[in-house]
Amino acid sequence: MAAVTDAEFEAQVLKSDKPVLVDFWAEWCGPCRQVAPILDELNAEHGDKLTFLKMNVDENPVTPSSYRVTGIPTINVYQGGEVVKSIVGAKPKAALLKELDGII
């Protein structure tokens, strides 16, 4: 999954023509490491319908705070510049697919 920074967020996420999933994560976060391979699989399977990006909250503090990301992992899906889905915590693949139903 490609990384996105605070500086690129508006152009890559908010102005995107298709929905964008952003995984807010950090190196030290165990649950983030659990969910990363699942998101990689979903990216491989559904990357044509949804853009998958990840943002390191330690390196990019502005965007997470502006979207009130207080716990990680937090997965937000943006469509038309708005958050249409927010998933907090590590979830198994089946649960993520259920949450993303209708988006992918």
Side-chain angles (χ1 to χ4, degrees):
M1 279 174 47
V4 64
T5 65
D6 283 336
E8 304 162 334
F9 191 81
E10 184 177 352
Q12 288 194 14
V13 177
L14 301 180
K15 294 185 175 173
S16 175
D17 293 337
K18 67 182 186 179
V20 181
L21 179 149
V22 180
D23 173 25
F24 293 95
W25 71 287
E27 291 281 347
W28 48 265
C29 167
C32 298
R33 288 195 297 272
Q34 287 178 316
V35 81
I38 297 168
L39 291 174
D40 287 338
E41 280 181 41
L42 293 176
N43 185 17
E45 295 165 10
H46 303 284
D48 56 329
K49 298 178 218 108
L50 185 63
T51 301
F52 286 76
L53 298 171
K54 60 184 182 175
M55 176 174 276
N56 185 317
V57 297
D58 290 335
E59 296 170 3
N60 301 282
V62 175
T63 303
S65 70
S66 68
Y67 286 96
R68 295 185 183 92
V69 173
T70 54
I72 54 172
T74 291
I75 298 166
N76 281 353
V77 179
Y78 298 84
Q79 200 163 8
E82 300 290 321
V83 177
V84 294
K85 176 68 72 175
S86 189
I87 305 163
V88 179
K91 305 248 189 299
K93 185 176 180 182
L96 284 176
L97 282 169
K98 190 172 183 184
E99 292 267 8
L100 297 171
D101 189 39
I103 298 168
I104 56 173

